[in-house]
Amino acid sequence: MSISGPSSSPSHITFGAWNVQAEDPDRLATFWAEFLQVAPQLSIDSAYLPAAGAGGVPMMFQLRSDPRPQYQVAHLDLTVPWDRRETEVRRALRLGALHEWDVLDEYPHVQWSTLSDPEGNLFCLAEHPPVQPKQR
């Protein structure tokens, strides 16, 4: 397959937003707005959350028109600073998330907790240990 166009210019594709169908877009947007600490922009049947700072992910919540799928094919992986995962998990739980499971000892470069938001959408909170300087 060939795509025509300037080959000397790199692609500048950026992440526009994470779109989620919701039974109650306002309620779900409110959970995520509180967790990400951003102000939601609510409308009649949708809600928008701006990115939470540089590198953040904008989110769009739209009214679900079909029944909820039986399983989830994608989820958000969010990174928190080292030693903040447990604190952020507790904060998410206070806001209405559910704790699903932890992966703490399987990989040396990351540990994470998997949660679900108030409508059952999975997301992970991951932390990476500090890199140790190499000894000479």
Side-chain angles (χ1 to χ4, degrees):
M1 179 171 108
S2 174
I3 299 176
S4 60
S7 59
S8 61
S9 174
S11 175
H12 293 288
I13 297 172
T14 60
F15 196 93
W18 181 259
N19 287 281
V20 178
Q21 288 189 342
E23 292 173 25
D24 186 341
D26 288 357
R27 178 176 172 247
L28 197 55
T30 298
F31 164 81
W32 282 102
E34 289 180 23
F35 184 66
L36 298 173
Q37 300 176 337
V38 297
Q41 298 171 10
L42 306 176
S43 66
I44 293 174
D45 60 356
S46 67
Y48 174 77
L49 301 183
V57 176
M59 300 177 84
M60 180 71 148
F61 300 92
Q62 298 173 332
L63 187 62
R64 182 185 316 282
S65 58
D66 297 325
R68 181 176 172 84
Q70 207 169 3
Y71 61 92
Q72 190 171 332
V73 296
H75 68 268
L76 288 174
D77 281 345
L78 304 172
T79 302
V80 300
W82 178 249
D83 269 349
R84 291 283 308 166
R85 182 186 48 78
E86 290 176 353
T87 299
E88 295 300 336
V89 166
R90 285 191 299 272
R91 192 167 69 81
L93 296 175
R94 282 193 305 273
L95 294 171
L98 295 175
H99 181 262
E100 301 292 341
W101 63 83
D102 295 311
V103 177
L104 304 176
D105 299 320
E106 295 176 30
Y107 303 96
H109 65 281
V110 65
Q111 52 190 27
W112 71 88
S113 296
T114 300
L115 299 101
S116 57
D117 70 19
E119 287 200 9
N121 301 300
L122 297 177
F123 65 99
C124 294
L125 294 178
E127 63 184 350
H128 301 270
V131 176
Q132 299 297 325
K134 291 185 180 182
Q135 303 261 334
R136 290 185 189 204

